[in-house]
Amino acid sequence: MSSSPRKLAPGPALRAALRKLLREAGGALGKFPDDPAEQAHFLRTRVKRLQSLCRLVPRGAAWREMFLPPCGDLKDLFAETRDATIVQGLADKYAPGEAHHLRVARPPDLSRARHLVDFADGLLADYPDWGAIEWGDIADRAVGTYRAARGAWKEARRRNAPDELFHNWRRRVKRLLYQCEYLGGRARLVRFTRRVDRLGETLGDIQDVCMAEAWLKKQRVCKVPPDLPRSKEALRRGALRLAPVLLGPKPKEFRRMLG
């Protein structure tokens, strides 16, 4: 997403980006019956970007308390469809012939989804200070996201860290990625964003392996292949090797990168 936030005043540009994401999510609803798996993924990705970018709004805690719940509800409506698609692929990869154990995803309530899109769009008008937002305000909010990703990395690198810590790290990294993609423009930040994307992909692969493990453990007739935990450990080591060059610098250095 490269909607150069510096072409308009910072606040109106950010509001326009949020509205565009909502409209794209709404557009996926009409296409959903023809391609549920692809449209569920597209819609959920748009909502995740929406959730990430709304956190750039300064002095917006009270507004976010209203805005984030319908966004979360919208994303959750399509979680079962998305998870079923992922698990199907994992079953084919790690337990060939066992996909008949999978339960068919229930169709989401598209009418409620449409209501949530419209409701969230209306809430954009409830934030009173779009015109007062400065570029520095947005950049400072992004620094907070960087700081949170950095903290999650330090938790995940602990010895014998549970899967939940890597999952939390992935969430923080994806939030940082979406914000950097929006803020991008400077060459150094573009390079940084590419590396964050790579780290996010590795952390996503770890999450997929965790989902495969969880599904296989539920199937009494299936055994967890021994290469699955080995793959997870190798992916963990890869993510931890990528992290220091990205998240090692202190937040003030990341702030200078934003300009």
Side-chain angles (χ1 to χ4, degrees):
M1 179 181 177
S2 58
S3 56
S4 184
R6 301 198 195 201
K7 288 184 179 179
L8 296 173
L14 182 54
R15 179 177 56 189
L18 294 171
R19 178 157 285 137
K20 181 174 183 288
L21 287 167
L22 275 171
R23 289 176 178 171
E24 289 174 348
L29 299 179
K31 302 174 185 177
F32 182 83
D34 296 327
D35 193 355
E38 181 62 28
Q39 296 307 315
H41 174 60
F42 179 85
L43 183 143
R44 283 173 54 80
T45 300
R46 289 302 174 275
V47 175
K48 289 176 184 178
R49 289 179 180 275
L50 191 68
Q51 292 170 316
S52 298
L53 294 194
C54 85
R55 296 178 186 278
L56 293 175
V57 176
R59 303 172 295 279
W63 172 73
R64 271 187 292 274
E65 287 183 4
M66 297 186 296
F67 185 74
L68 282 173
C71 294
D73 290 346
L74 176 62
K75 186 180 70 175
D76 290 348
L77 281 177
F78 296 85
E80 188 172 341
T81 302
R82 181 60 183 157
D83 288 351
T85 303
I86 294 172
V87 173
Q88 174 74 54
L90 295 171
D92 291 341
K93 181 177 180 179
Y94 293 110
E98 298 296 337
H100 61 275
H101 291 288
L102 296 175
R103 181 169 59 85
V104 176
R106 293 168 296 183
D109 185 341
L110 296 181
S111 176
R112 173 155 175 74
R114 171 56 64 187
H115 168 75
L116 289 168
V117 169
D118 292 342
F119 183 66
D121 187 67
L123 288 173
L124 289 176
D126 288 345
Y127 178 74
D129 296 323
W130 292 113
I133 295 175
E134 301 288 344
W135 171 258
D137 297 328
I138 294 175
D140 289 345
R141 294 289 302 175
V143 172
T145 301
Y146 174 83
R147 186 178 289 110
R150 194 167 182 257
W153 160 52
K154 291 180 178 180
E155 287 293 310
R157 72 182 181 183
R158 286 170 17 198
R159 185 178 180 84
N160 298 321
D163 291 338
E164 291 76 11
L165 290 183
F166 275 82
H167 180 54
N168 181 58
W169 184 23
R170 175 179 178 257
R171 290 175 56 246
R172 302 289 185 174
V173 165
K174 294 297 281 188
R175 186 176 296 169
L176 178 64
L177 171 65
Y178 294 146
Q179 291 183 2
C180 285
E181 286 178 341
Y182 175 71
L183 297 171
R186 290 169 171 262
R188 187 180 172 197
L189 181 58
V190 171
R191 290 194 297 270
F192 176 84
T193 302
R194 288 175 185 153
R195 292 171 178 167
V196 174
D197 192 13
R198 182 182 170 197
L199 175 59
E201 289 295 324
T202 302
L203 292 170
D205 290 341
I206 295 170
Q207 180 64 16
D208 286 350
V209 171
C210 290
M211 288 185 68
E213 283 184 319
W215 178 75
L216 288 167
K217 287 175 181 178
K218 289 179 182 178
Q219 314 308 316
R220 295 182 180 179
V221 297
C222 299
K223 292 183 179 180
V224 176
D227 65 332
L228 200 58
R230 287 197 293 266
S231 294
K232 182 167 70 175
E233 286 306 311
L235 288 165
R236 280 185 170 209
R237 289 194 297 271
L240 292 171
R241 281 195 300 269
L242 289 170
V245 69
L246 292 171
L247 302 174
K250 293 183 178 180
K252 64 182 180 181
E253 295 177 47
F254 175 74
R255 178 63 179 83
R256 283 198 291 268
M257 191 188 307
L258 299 178

